[in-house]
Amino acid sequence: MASPAMVPLRQLFVDGEWRAPAQGRRLPVVNPATEAHIGEIPAGTAEDVEAAVAAARAALKRNRGRDWARAPGAVRAKYLRAIAAKIIERKAELAKLEALDCGKPYDEAAWDMDDVAGCFEYFADQAEALDKRQNSPVSLPMETFKCHLRREPIGVVGLISPWNYPLLMATWKVAPALAAGCTAVLKPSELASVTCLELADVCKEVSLPSGVLNIVTGLGPDAGAPLAAHPDVNKPVTLELGGKSPIVVFDDVDIETAVEWTLFGCFWTNGQICSATSRLLIHTKIAKEFKERMVAWAKNIKVSDPLEEGCRLGPVVSKGQYEKIKKFISNAKSEGATILTGGVRPAHLEKGFYLEPTIITDVSTSMEIWREEVFGPVLCVKEFSTEDEAIELSNDTHYGLAGAVISRDRERCQRLSEEIDAGCIWVNCSQPCFCQAPWGGNKHSGFGRELGEGGIDNYLSIKQVTEYISDEPWGWYQQPPAKL
């Protein structure tokens, strides 16, 4: 690895080898904490996608599929576990690269690396379990037939991942795809590709068969669009999209505990998380005290360079994102909302894309800040008086990724868990995520689910095999006379 301020120089990863992009172009890597250029990534285009898909197709078909696609799941599991072990071995290095690349606090990035390894381990287990699920019998109403099911990889898959959890979100897709026996082309976000290219280096270290995983970095229109449209990429689609999730806090809570979960639910990952519970619904009886304590807690959050010890809020990922968030805050003020705290650059940080943790009150449900995803450290607050009002406000959104409820009343929590229209509900917490539990949203927050026992099924096709087992002729047609 280069000096601590720089990132490794990598090429595209195609057919098991590093390959320069066809057009020879590269994109700068900007450290959002310093605004300095700290390296480059290759800028792939349609020609590179073509080569990567061809490599994936060849790997899928190699030895009539026996080398990978039709190999026992236990064979693929060995590679996934080897990748997991290498991730842990390189955890400190990868966490530092992630912090440099996207501004995530180092402690968060290190936690993410544990989750990356855990996800590869989990889907290694799922690959082995797939062997036991093969040839599962189907009960039929006719004794003259028997039937079983085979689960086969859908083929070559295109995987497009975001920049807020660069390696972890890629892993959510790569690990189950490979566990299922698919081959893949990964296109990470151009804003944070560094650790995904290091995953390619890990794959080389563990001798993953060539072409099984290919990684093409580059701009969305130049690399992502050709991948999504490629005729040799198999087409079932799962989408995890944006959110504007509610967190509902009732008047029976311990205020300090609830305040911390509320801020964590919005400011974790520098506020750049699709499931951020960025709409706080607070019971009017405790609203005044709750807001006062939120301000005190928010002011106590350490905003600093992500590599500084104890950092809990780093910069947002890019200048473009920084300007977008500031515009949201400016629009909220012009619409009549109140900036209770934050909304500006921290005084002690002259460079970098930093914003103080921001809490906005006096918000109406028609305001942009209430309805649209900000994707930054911005929490907006609205009061409610009754449970029915809280439910109505929670569901008054075209998103439906997540929601949280905080209350000592377990029956109330159960009611809201059922009433809030979202794919993930958290009770007395916000943002826990485990690869063992399915993840995904409703409404405009996407469709399909990743992770969990069903996570591998996104990458499998079901084949039924039905056999006639009677010695008797079928007898549908009248048998002609015997040939003389």
Side-chain angles (χ1 to χ4, degrees):
M1 189 176 139
S3 69
M6 300 296 289
V7 301
L9 181 65
R10 299 293 189 195
Q11 302 287 7
L12 304 176
F13 187 64
V14 177
D15 204 19
E17 300 295 337
W18 299 113
R19 181 180 300 189
Q23 296 189 14
R25 297 201 300 258
R26 299 184 71 84
L27 301 172
V29 175
V30 176
N31 181 349
T34 64
E35 303 180 43
H37 287 200
I38 57 171
E40 297 176 335
I41 58 169
T45 54
E47 301 99 310
D48 304 301
V49 169
E50 186 69 35
V53 172
R57 180 64 59 184
L60 186 80
K61 298 295 185 182
R62 189 179 297 129
N63 194 19
R64 298 174 70 179
R66 296 185 186 95
D67 288 359
W68 186 259
R70 294 173 56 203
V75 170
R76 299 190 294 272
K78 290 179 182 177
Y79 288 102
L80 297 183
R81 292 203 174 96
I83 291 170
K86 285 291 181 183
I87 295 293
I88 293 301
E89 183 181 309
R90 296 173 59 173
K91 173 181 171 179
E93 169 200 349
L94 292 170
K96 180 177 281 190
L97 289 173
E98 196 106 299
L100 288 169
D101 196 20
C102 72
K104 186 186 291 279
Y106 177 84
D107 289 346
E108 282 192 35
W111 194 348
D112 284 358
M113 295 310 132
D114 288 334
D115 286 348
V116 167
C119 192
F120 275 110
E121 288 279 1
Y122 176 75
F123 281 105
D125 293 343
Q126 292 296 303
E128 290 175 335
L130 184 59
D131 290 340
K132 298 175 183 176
R133 294 168 65 195
Q134 289 293 23
N135 303 322
S136 55
V138 176
S139 178
L140 300 178
M142 297 179 67
E143 294 182 357
T144 51
F145 292 91
K146 69 176 182 179
C147 179
H148 67 268
L149 302 182
R150 288 196 51 77
R151 290 163 174 84
E152 300 179 344
I154 60 174
V156 174
V157 294
L159 310 173
I160 298 177
S161 57
W163 45 259
N164 54 338
Y165 289 83
L167 187 53
L168 182 57
M169 293 293 97
T171 298
W172 279 19
K173 297 162 176 52
V174 169
L178 270 53
C182 293
T183 56
V185 179
L186 170 65
K187 205 302 265 186
S189 168
E190 61 270 23
L191 294 178
S193 295
V194 170
T195 50
C196 287
L197 289 172
E198 293 311 292
L199 175 62
D201 194 52
V202 167
C203 290
K204 282 183 70 69
E205 285 190 68
V206 303
S207 300
L208 185 73
S210 61
V212 166
L213 177 62
N214 307 271
I215 301 177
V216 178
T217 57
L219 299 174
D222 296 340
L227 178 60
H230 200 290
D232 273 348
V233 170
N234 297 91
K235 293 302 183 209
V237 174
T238 298
L239 295 176
E240 191 261 82
L241 303 176
K244 191 72 176 179
S245 301
I247 181 167
V248 184
V249 180
F250 285 90
D251 57 338
D252 60 348
V253 300
D254 175 83
I255 286 181
E256 299 300 304
T257 300
V259 164
E260 183 179 15
W261 276 118
T262 298
L263 298 190
F264 182 83
C266 187
F267 299 152
W268 172 247
T269 314
N270 304 336
Q272 299 169 129
I273 179 169
C274 293
S275 58
T277 41
S278 56
R279 290 188 298 137
L280 168 61
L281 300 168
I282 180 72
H283 197 284
T284 189
K285 284 185 180 179
I286 61 169
K288 183 176 184 297
E289 181 183 1
F290 201 90
K291 285 185 279 189
E292 289 172 353
R293 294 307 296 158
M294 280 201 302
V295 170
W297 277 74
K299 289 181 178 295
N300 201 45
I301 293 172
K302 182 171 181 176
V303 185
S304 70
D305 186 291
L307 297 180
E308 192 172 312
E309 186 175 354
C311 174
R312 287 297 177 264
L313 192 73
V316 297
V317 72
S318 67
K319 184 177 181 180
Q321 187 66 15
Y322 181 61
E323 295 299 333
K324 177 183 173 185
I325 296 166
K326 290 200 297 182
K327 182 68 172 174
F328 269 113
I329 295 169
S330 174
N331 288 350
K333 289 170 68 176
S334 68
E335 289 185 75
T338 300
I339 311 302
L340 196 61
T341 188
V344 296
R345 170 184 290 278
H348 65 289
L349 294 166
E350 296 180 1
K351 281 204 164 193
F353 309 126
Y354 292 96
L355 278 168
E356 291 183 351
T358 303
I359 300 173
I360 301 179
T361 60
D362 300 319
V363 174
S364 72
T365 58
S366 63
M367 287 182 181
E368 175 191 58
I369 198 70
W370 182 260
R371 305 206 69 83
E372 298 302 323
E373 183 180 41
V374 176
F375 227 64
V378 179
L379 175 69
C380 46
V381 185
K382 192 163 183 59
E383 298 179 24
F384 70 91
S385 299
T386 67
E387 185 177 311
D388 285 346
E389 183 185 5
I391 292 167
E392 183 177 346
L393 287 167
S394 294
N395 289 332
D396 183 24
T397 174
H398 52 266
Y399 293 112
L401 182 53
V405 54
I406 301 183
S407 171
R408 285 193 170 103
D409 185 333
R410 294 182 62 84
E411 291 184 0
R412 172 191 282 153
C413 291
Q414 180 63 33
R415 289 194 298 272
L416 266 77
S417 296
E418 296 173 2
E419 292 275 6
I420 295 175
D421 186 5
C424 308
I425 300 295
W426 300 305
V427 175
N428 291 322
C429 59
S430 183
Q431 304 309 323
C433 183
F434 301 94
C435 64
Q436 294 81 5
W439 179 272
N442 302 340
K443 298 191 282 189
H444 286 196
S445 288
F447 54 86
R449 295 294 183 267
E450 296 183 286
L451 304 181
E453 290 186 0
I456 196 172
D457 292 336
N458 290 325
Y459 301 94
L460 293 171
S461 176
I462 303 295
K463 176 188 284 183
Q464 61 128 314
V465 179
T466 302
E467 178 185 357
Y468 184 61
I469 57 174
S470 173
D471 292 331
E472 297 297 320
W474 182 228
W476 179 252
Y477 299 106
Q478 185 176 353
Q479 185 172 341
K483 187 176 180 181
L484 296 176

